[in-house]
Amino acid sequence: MGRIKQGLDYFPLNTDFMHDRVVRRVMKREGDSAFTILLYTLSYLYSGEGYYIHVDDDFYDELSDQLFCTDNDNVRQVLRLFVEYGFFDSSLYERYGILTSADIQRQFLFVTKRRSRRHISPDYCLLPDEENVHPTLPDAVAETADIVTQTPDTVTESPDTVTKSTLLKRKEKERKENILPNPPLP
């Protein structure tokens, strides 16, 4: 039986990410290490559950061990500032001790749109109901399966067409090459 993938293999990062007002404010206040702490946190977040990460003393220890000249208190302070300035949702941070945001959840749903199982816990969900499609409903699963089934058919037909076209061109070229302008004398 196949393994059910929880998190993501990659996460997109906008090219203007460093120009985000919140990121600049925290970096100005806490230094350049704030950017590194944020990138590490996002990597853990997307690779773990995919749309949130539980932060506790163990998480702060692990993160600070991977960074030079950064201790637990500095990591905790930087992440609190990102929560305070609205990069992460403050209510879920206070209630459950997790870091997430509506943008992160939206990105998770977008990247996992072809998965048969992509569920955001109702307790942690920050998206409106129309954005948070629950694939556990039969309609959503059937819709996804149709899309996935149609794609290979289209892909399979294209190489056949290309192959036939290529073969015809090659045969025509060979026929032209085999015609000698002056036939040999007997």
Side-chain angles (χ1 to χ4, degrees):
M1 184 167 169
R3 179 178 77 98
I4 297 175
K5 177 80 173 153
Q6 282 293 110
L8 305 178
D9 293 328
Y10 69 93
F11 67 95
L13 193 62
N14 292 338
T15 55
D16 62 349
F17 178 73
M18 289 188 63
H19 303 292
D20 183 87
R21 183 179 54 86
V22 172
V23 175
R24 283 195 339 245
R25 285 177 69 189
V26 175
M27 284 177 63
K28 185 174 184 177
R29 185 166 169 182
E30 293 297 319
D32 293 338
S33 65
F35 183 72
T36 307
I37 291 170
L38 180 61
L39 280 179
Y40 266 91
T41 303
L42 289 174
S43 294
Y44 276 112
L45 186 148
Y46 281 114
S47 68
E49 293 296 322
Y51 63 95
Y52 77 91
I53 188 164
H54 182 75
V55 289
D56 56 6
D57 290 334
D58 291 337
F59 176 76
Y60 297 129
D61 284 340
E62 187 175 341
L63 196 57
S64 65
D65 286 345
Q66 294 179 11
L67 302 170
F68 300 108
C69 303
T70 305
D71 60 357
N72 292 2
D73 293 333
N74 189 14
V75 170
R76 188 184 316 265
Q77 174 64 22
V78 167
L79 292 178
R80 256 191 204 286
L81 283 174
F82 278 113
V83 169
E84 182 182 320
Y85 293 152
F87 191 87
F88 297 112
D89 185 72
S90 61
S91 64
L92 292 178
Y93 177 76
E94 297 299 326
R95 187 178 313 145
Y96 299 109
I98 66 167
L99 296 176
T100 189
S101 71
D103 288 337
I104 290 170
Q105 292 178 3
R106 207 172 282 115
Q107 188 63 48
F108 172 76
L109 289 176
F110 177 75
V111 171
T112 60
K113 67 184 170 192
R114 289 190 174 217
R115 287 188 189 172
S116 61
R117 184 179 167 193
R118 58 180 195 131
H119 178 71
I120 293 182
S121 171
D123 292 339
Y124 301 159
C125 187
L126 297 170
L127 302 174
D129 287 338
E130 56 270 2
E131 279 188 63
N132 186 18
V133 177
H134 296 287
T136 53
L137 300 173
D139 294 335
V141 173
E143 208 172 18
T144 305
D146 289 344
I147 293 169
V148 172
T149 308
Q150 289 173 359
T151 304
D153 293 342
T154 308
V155 173
T156 318
E157 289 174 14
S158 295
D160 290 344
T161 308
V162 171
T163 307
K164 289 176 185 176
S165 170
T166 307
L167 285 174
L168 290 174
K169 287 180 182 178
R170 185 180 301 149
K171 285 182 180 180
E172 187 177 326
K173 184 177 178 183
E174 287 174 359
R175 197 168 16 123
K176 287 180 180 177
E177 288 175 354
N178 289 336
I179 298 175
L180 297 173
N182 297 324
L185 294 172

